[in-house]
Amino acid sequence: MPVRVAASPASPGSQSPADVGRPSRRDAHTAARPQIDLLVPAVRSRLAGADQHHLAKGERTDWGDRDCLHLLRSGWLAQFRTLTDGRRHVLRFLMPGDLVGVTSQFSGVAPAPAVALTDARVATVPVAELIDPASAAALRQFCIVLAMENVQAHETLLSLGCLDAEERLAALLLGLFERACARDLVSDRGLRLPLTQQDIADALGISPVHTNRMVMKLQRAGLIRLKAEWLQILDGPGLEAVAQWSRPMAWTRNSDHTSEHPADGARRPTTSKPPSRLARTVRRILVVEDDQLLALQMQAILRSLGFEVLGPAGSLESGMRLAEAGDVDAAVLDVRLDQGQRVFPVAQTLQRRSIPFSFMTGYADPELDRFHAPVLRKPVESGSVAAVIEQLIH
């Protein structure tokens, strides 16, 4: 008799302004969710605290030891295989929260290599430090991850075997959009899509020229807009019809609301002025954090507490821009940002504007003392975040 494996439900939460104009996270298909969410808390914590290594855009990784599990913490990667004649096929696009190496623990085959589509950070932990092979409960969580990968593999096979080029492209964009929604990376039905036409072509099994024709066809039909690495879905149900999409998303009304994305820190233009601090009933919290997983975790915690999130800002530059011009009630600032930068200029800007803030760090830093601000210690928990925010805004 087969064992019935139940996947964990998505985290509940009410829809905030940033959710308007896209499917809600609770409606995300289980296979679209970050794979780390499918693991038990102890394993998630070990992976979250592991040492990370940086991959520059365009850099290739072969993953090294096959007895390790790898967690993509920020950025995008493309896993691929290359034929002897040089042709490449993209097997899957990796987003923050995705795992590499689970299949290798059962097959003994090394993971397919990957190339960084953006600057990225990867955490690596030996599997022996994560699970007890004699524990059925420990193995079960990896079986769930494998089952979800199998679902995605079947959908890819169906797309390549039955759909024409236009339908494949529509299905690929919807799949990426669904996964981005599950990571709160979507605003105003749009997301940063750091893929070249060659990347898309290698995933669809068609030429870059034909890929360009199909993109233009979907744009002329008013279904999508794709420009400067920004994908916006203009007609969700229409795109689903083209893709033969089997699980309609819960599309909501469009909105002029936009937000800062940790992936690129680029603000999208708004068509309406945001309400003033006095006119708003929901407190707005600025988050500056360069680790996308931690940024999404903090965003989810703050939204669950009833706050609106400004950001998350993934760089010092974007954090400064929001701190200088944003309508903010309080802020949570990661101390150490990417490329060796520190968040102190943002803190000084907030001090000048009399906006309270808290630091967030996993390290001891004597420079924090001069700001007389509370400090959240990583890994953060909902209770400690709630206590600090309460202290800041009251």
Side-chain angles (χ1 to χ4, degrees):
M1 180 177 179
V3 177
R4 188 179 301 277
V5 178
S8 304
S11 301
S14 58
Q15 197 175 48
S16 73
D19 297 317
V20 178
R22 66 168 176 83
S24 93
R25 183 173 179 174
R26 79 182 72 177
D27 297 317
H29 185 49
T30 302
R33 292 169 51 206
Q35 291 177 310
I36 191 173
D37 286 359
L38 303 175
L39 304 179
V40 297
V43 175
R44 291 203 302 265
S45 296
R46 177 67 183 89
L47 281 167
D51 291 338
Q52 303 173 33
H53 63 275
H54 179 267
L55 292 173
K57 181 178 179 180
E59 186 176 350
R60 169 177 167 151
T61 177
D62 292 310
W63 304 111
D65 192 341
R66 74 178 64 176
D67 293 325
C68 289
L69 201 62
H70 311 274
L71 168 67
L72 180 59
R73 294 202 60 91
S74 64
W76 286 54
L77 303 180
Q79 253 188 304
F80 65 92
R81 292 288 189 190
T82 305
L83 299 179
T84 55
D85 62 3
R87 285 178 294 167
R88 183 186 76 155
H89 181 71
V90 171
L91 303 172
R92 63 170 179 159
F93 295 107
L94 301 173
M95 296 182 185
D98 284 338
L99 301 169
V100 174
V102 176
T103 304
S104 300
Q105 309 313 311
F106 296 87
S107 67
V109 178
V115 62
L117 303 176
T118 65
D119 287 349
R121 289 191 293 178
V122 178
T124 299
V125 179
V127 173
E129 297 181 14
L130 296 174
I131 64 169
D132 176 6
S135 168
L139 292 173
R140 176 180 177 275
Q141 62 185 315
F142 286 94
C143 290
I144 294 174
V145 174
L146 285 174
M148 294 303 100
E149 288 188 0
N150 197 41
V151 169
Q152 290 181 326
H154 284 181
E155 291 184 349
T156 300
L157 286 172
L158 179 65
S159 175
L160 294 175
C162 296
L163 302 184
D164 62 27
E166 180 186 9
E167 294 167 339
R168 286 185 213 172
L169 175 59
L172 174 66
L173 296 180
L174 282 170
L176 293 173
F177 193 84
E178 183 181 46
R179 292 171 60 203
C181 280
R183 292 156 175 80
D184 284 325
L185 298 177
V186 169
S187 174
D188 194 24
R189 294 195 185 183
L191 73 147
R192 185 196 177 196
L193 192 70
L195 311 183
T196 65
Q197 288 193 3
Q198 186 67 62
D199 295 328
I200 296 174
D202 288 349
L204 300 180
I206 59 179
S207 70
V209 173
H210 198 33
T211 297
N212 183 63
R213 292 195 191 105
M214 295 303 101
V215 170
M216 293 298 103
K217 186 173 182 180
L218 293 180
Q219 292 193 132
R220 286 195 300 269
L223 301 177
I224 66 168
R225 181 182 296 121
L226 182 56
K227 184 177 181 180
E229 293 191 349
W230 182 253
L231 168 68
Q232 191 168 28
I233 294 185
L234 306 177
D235 181 357
L239 194 63
E240 289 176 352
V242 172
Q244 306 290 321
W245 198 250
S246 61
R247 48 179 188 279
M249 299 186 195
W251 299 102
T252 56
R253 66 182 178 83
N254 202 359
S255 168
D256 292 329
H257 178 87
T258 61
S259 67
E260 191 89 12
H261 297 289
D264 63 352
R267 283 189 69 84
R268 305 299 161 190
T270 59
T271 58
S272 60
K273 185 178 180 180
S276 69
R277 194 185 308 188
L278 292 177
R280 286 189 286 104
T281 58
V282 177
R283 298 297 185 101
R284 182 175 292 166
I285 312 298
L286 167 64
V287 175
V288 180
E289 169 61 73
D290 64 323
D291 186 304
Q292 284 184 295
L293 274 184
L294 292 180
L296 295 176
Q297 179 189 7
M298 179 59 68
Q299 181 171 268
I301 290 173
L302 290 172
R303 287 180 175 174
S304 72
L305 295 171
F307 298 108
E308 182 180 339
V309 176
L310 184 62
S315 66
L316 180 60
E317 179 186 3
S318 57
M320 284 293 293
R321 187 166 58 247
L322 290 178
E324 291 170 347
D327 180 17
V328 185
D329 295 293
V332 178
L333 312 176
D334 179 30
V335 175
R336 299 188 181 187
L337 302 176
D338 207 6
Q339 299 178 344
Q341 295 179 315
R342 326 254 328 249
V343 80
F344 299 138
V346 177
Q348 291 167 341
T349 298
L350 294 172
Q351 277 188 329
R352 288 197 302 269
R353 298 185 61 196
S354 299
I355 296 173
F357 59 87
S358 167
F359 290 114
M360 179 169 54
T361 184
Y363 305 93
D365 194 327
E367 289 194 52
L368 301 184
D369 296 338
R370 64 187 174 96
F371 290 95
H372 305 289
V375 178
L376 280 166
R377 295 295 175 185
K378 297 179 180 179
V380 297
E381 297 180 352
S382 181
S384 59
V385 173
V388 166
I389 297 299
E390 179 74 14
Q391 176 184 347
L392 294 178
I393 65 177
H394 293 295

